[in-house]
Amino acid sequence: MTSGDEYDDEPLELADELADPVWFPGQHLPAEARRMGLTHHVPDGALLDFAGSLDGAKLYHRVAAWLLLVVFGLPVLFAAMRAFQAF
């Protein structure tokens, strides 16, 4: 047997057993969004949480990301077209 002096005296840091699993809502928010007070309960935070949970290796996730780009990009494009048409 070996003596107890050979072992490291520092305690092990175990994972927090009370932490929510990664699939729970609000786990994919960036730290900056959390500091601003966004959670998955508000629309902007829920959208950030959803976009943060997308995985680029999965086809359906890439399709969802492109769909989000179209949904949020078209109003900007239409507003720009109206602004240029007004000249």
Side-chain angles (χ1 to χ4, degrees), residues 9-33:
D9 290 335
E10 295 180 21
L12 292 176
E13 291 185 26
L14 300 177
D16 186 13
E17 295 176 9
L18 301 176
D20 291 334
V22 71
W23 59 84
F24 277 19
Q27 300 298 318
H28 302 284
L29 283 173
E32 294 84 16

